[in-house]
Amino acid sequence: MRQVRRGPAAPPGQGYGGVPRQPSYTDGGYDDGYDSGYNTGQVYGRPGGGAPGDPGDRYAGRPAPDWRRRIKWTALTLVTVLIVTMVGTYFWADSKLNRDVDLSTVIDRPEKGEGTNYLIVGSDSREGLSDEQKKKLHTGSAEGKRTDSMMILHTGDNGPTLISLPRDSNVTIPKFKGSESGKIRAGMGANKLNASYAIDGPTLLVRTVEFNTGLHIDHYVEIGFAGFANIVDAVGGVEMDIPQDIKDPKSGADFKKGKQTLNGEEALAFVRTRYALAGSDLDRTKNQQKFLSALANQVATPGTVLNPFKLYPTMGAGLDSLIVDKDMSLFDLAEMFWAMKGVSGGEGKSMNMPISGSAGNGNLQWDMPKVKQLVNELKNDEKVTVSGN
């Protein structure tokens, strides 16, 4: 067997077979002793254990985000957008009001009292209705315009008061200034209240109401058949609790007793019905008051006000349909609607003008002592104690 020659043992400090042990780098210098790095808890990379290229390196030297500043600018942006929207909505809505009635032409007016008085008129105008719509809404095709309903709404510190004026009320039509000619015309004596509107329109109606009551009318608001139906449809219908079955072929009303939501067509039939009611026109005016208060309450709900897809169509339909006096502002109109909402909510009072019976010509005669007391309370903005029919 071949013999293997063994060499001498490696000197101290050298590896096996005479190969020198490799030096290690420690703190910038060489160290003869071997250190694996586990003595300090570091094997490689940055102090603390992070590896080179760690994502934290990308944010080194950048300032922390200023969240307070970001929140402030976001809030300012939102407020600016809100203000611009509100201002734009105001001017859009204001441009839609039909300010066609000039109350400055009304002569011999009574002094203004406390609070604000609105004369609210529902006319039987068919303007804008097609033949098909006239048939559907049971309006007929009469030419011109007449008043289908008249109400005085008083607003003040003692809650709103809504007073219906029956259109067959027996009143005196006094001398007046013609709305077109500008000339003073003689009065026409005893007649139905709605005849004044048929003779010379809104200004003579205001003159007649003021002459017979002594109450100053501050604002005038009128709406026709088509506008009324459009508002009801735009708001999504109005819920009413109908106290009895009603069927009236002339108005198109066909209702069962109980709660139900009326659309525009049904609502118009409801407020025009009188032949199916025991009290005829007096009962009709009560139904008109109830419905208008319910409509105002529906318009003022958060579901309408906070929903732009419902609010703008409702405002558009309503404002396009209204005829108001030249001094009417959107704030005045808003006050009127909120007051009507208050009537339905029990914060105010609704009533008919006090009636004492029928006059010799068959018209309804006002109970003048009660009327004078009512007007005095309204002028002084006192709580109304008079009751109507």
Side-chain angles (χ1 to χ4, degrees):
M1 178 179 292
R2 187 175 179 177
Q3 297 292 319
V4 178
R5 186 175 178 180
R6 299 180 183 272
Q14 291 189 359
Y16 178 78
V19 179
R21 179 177 295 177
Q22 299 299 311
S24 63
Y25 185 82
T26 304
D27 294 331
Y30 286 97
D31 182 45
D32 288 340
Y34 175 72
D35 186 357
S36 66
Y38 286 102
N39 295 334
T40 63
Q42 293 178 230
V43 178
Y44 54 78
R46 297 183 303 157
D54 185 60
D57 286 345
R58 289 176 290 177
Y59 303 104
R62 293 189 182 183
D66 188 344
W67 289 108
R68 288 185 178 180
R69 185 179 181 185
R70 291 187 181 185
I71 292 172
K72 182 181 77 172
W73 280 107
T74 300
L76 286 174
T77 301
L78 291 175
V79 170
T80 301
V81 170
L82 180 61
I83 292 174
V84 170
T85 301
M86 292 175 64
V87 171
T89 298
Y90 176 87
F91 284 105
W92 167 78
D94 189 71
S95 68
K96 285 185 168 293
L97 275 179
N98 301 305
R99 296 183 174 93
D100 297 337
V101 180
D102 187 0
L103 295 183
S104 68
T105 64
V106 180
I107 63 172
D108 300 335
R109 309 193 67 185
E111 291 185 6
K112 179 175 171 56
E114 300 294 326
T116 304
N117 299 310
Y118 298 83
L119 181 59
I120 304 171
V121 175
S123 77
D124 65 359
S125 171
R126 281 89 174 161
E127 186 176 351
L129 291 177
S130 65
D131 290 339
E132 182 180 349
Q133 288 174 316
K134 291 176 183 178
K135 183 177 179 181
K136 181 180 180 182
L137 297 175
H138 297 267
T139 65
S141 299
E143 296 297 327
K145 293 195 301 183
R146 283 157 295 278
T147 50
D148 210 54
S149 62
M150 291 161 284
M151 303 178 191
I152 294 174
L153 174 67
H154 175 84
T155 63
D157 295 334
N158 283 289
T161 302
L162 186 62
I163 308 160
S164 285
L165 310 175
R167 65 179 189 173
D168 292 343
S169 296
N170 191 55
V171 297
T172 298
I173 298 180
K175 68 177 183 179
F176 63 98
K177 178 186 279 190
S179 58
E180 294 185 3
S181 67
K183 297 179 179 180
I184 301 298
R185 297 177 57 182
M188 301 185 182
N191 212 322
K192 292 181 179 180
L193 178 58
N194 67 342
S196 60
Y197 182 95
I199 293 168
D200 200 49
T203 53
L204 180 53
L205 176 60
V206 171
R207 164 74 173 136
T208 302
V209 170
E210 289 187 340
F211 180 84
N212 286 271
T213 63
L215 189 67
H216 182 92
I217 299 299
D218 299 288
H219 292 294
Y220 177 90
V221 181
E222 178 187 326
I223 186 168
F225 283 162
F228 181 82
N230 288 340
I231 293 175
V232 175
D233 285 335
V235 82
V238 176
E239 185 179 79
M240 288 293 296
D241 189 357
I242 299 178
Q244 65 184 71
D245 292 350
I246 299 176
K247 190 173 182 64
D248 183 0
K250 291 192 175 183
S251 70
D254 188 3
F255 305 111
K256 296 297 183 183
K257 178 181 178 180
K259 286 187 177 181
Q260 51 205 284
T261 299
L262 307 184
N263 61 25
E265 178 185 347
E266 294 165 336
L268 187 58
F270 176 72
V271 299
R272 295 184 63 223
T273 294
R274 63 170 174 163
Y275 294 104
L277 304 175
S280 188
D281 202 40
L282 292 178
D283 281 350
R284 180 174 74 155
T285 56
K286 293 176 183 177
N287 285 341
Q288 290 170 347
Q289 290 177 348
K290 291 177 184 177
F291 186 86
L292 289 179
S293 295
L295 174 60
N297 188 66
Q298 177 68 24
V299 170
T301 58
T304 299
V305 175
L306 300 179
N307 183 353
F309 298 103
K310 183 176 285 189
L311 175 63
Y312 285 98
T314 301
M315 290 179 64
L319 296 173
D320 276 341
S321 307
L322 296 179
I323 297 174
V324 300
D325 64 272
K326 293 184 180 296
D327 294 327
M328 175 76 81
S329 71
L330 286 178
F331 296 107
D332 294 323
L333 199 60
E335 180 189 39
M336 185 191 81
F337 272 100
W338 279 106
M340 293 183 70
K341 179 179 181 293
V343 171
S344 68
E347 300 171 8
K349 180 173 184 176
S350 61
M351 59 183 287
N352 277 325
M353 185 64 84
I355 303 295
S356 61
S358 296
N361 56 10
N363 299 333
L364 295 174
Q365 184 64 51
W366 292 355
D367 187 334
M368 292 312 299
K370 285 188 175 182
V371 170
K372 288 180 180 179
Q373 181 183 346
L374 171 63
V375 169
N376 187 62
E377 290 173 343
L378 294 178
K379 277 186 173 182
N380 295 311
D381 195 24
E382 299 172 350
K383 186 175 180 62
V384 172
T385 60
V386 179
S387 60
N389 298 74

